Amino acid sequence: MPHGSGTASAVRRPQLRRLGGGLALALILGLSANESISTRMAWLQYGMGLASRRPRPQVCLLAGEIDPIDKVRAGDRFVGWLKHPVLTRSAKFDCVLEVGPGDEEGTWRIERPRKKPGAPIELEFEGPFKIKPADVEGNILMRDLETVFNATLNGAGPGTLSGRVIQNGLMWGGFFEVRLDD
């Protein structure tokens, strides 16, 4: 008898929710030695629909893995993404932050995402910045005349910088995440 027929004798079947690919991924990740228990649990909760967002990846500190950083140094190169309502029109652009020649200065650039694999890189902006300590422990400010990167050291895992991008005083909607490049 179909559901919703209105009769008292209708038997309702329990609604079984389809477990998505997140659960399968959680089970696969559960076999990985490089993931922490909390990360495995987060993926399991996501796959079962108990968590609303995908968990952030966490890197286990095994031999040869990236160590947490306590400050940026000349020669450090960070690669990742930047998203801002004005700078990138809310699209994720590739972002590169290079520290040097001294520990208090560097160069940043953003590149348009490639339309096709192997397409040439389209440079959107490149310019110098100065590095200053922030008011909050574990944060730094990287700024030029118009742009401020308010960065948290190890904000998205060991060896990363992540945080807010402020352009001409516009503080909302700008984010970035970069990882120390080999």
Side-chain angles (χ1 to χ4, degrees), residues 26-86:
L27 294 174
I28 292 169
L29 286 176
L31 303 175
S32 170
N34 292 338
E35 295 290 330
S36 67
I37 297 295
S38 61
T39 301
R40 288 185 212 156
M41 289 303 296
W43 275 109
L44 186 60
Q45 290 171 349
Y46 174 72
M48 294 175 60
L50 301 175
S52 60
R53 294 178 13 168
R54 294 179 69 140
R56 288 186 174 183
Q58 296 177 354
V59 180
C60 185
L61 296 177
L62 299 174
E65 300 271 345
I66 296 176
D67 291 329
I69 54 176
D70 56 350
K71 69 179 224 171
V72 294
R73 294 174 175 79
D76 285 350
R77 182 174 192 266
F78 295 89
V79 178
W81 58 267
L82 177 141
K83 183 177 181 178
H84 190 274
V86 175

Side-chain angles (χ1 to χ4, degrees), residues 16 25 32 95 107 154 167:
L16 295 177
L25 188 55
S32 170
C95 179
T107 304
N154 307 304
Q167 173 75 15

Side-chain angles (χ1 to χ4, degrees), residues 6 8 23 28 49 63-64 76 90 100 102 104 125 144 152 154 158 166 169 175-176:
L23 179 58
I28 292 169
D76 285 350
S90 297
E104 293 83 32
F125 175 82
D144 63 18
T152 301
N154 307 304
I166 302 165
F175 301 96
F176 76 100

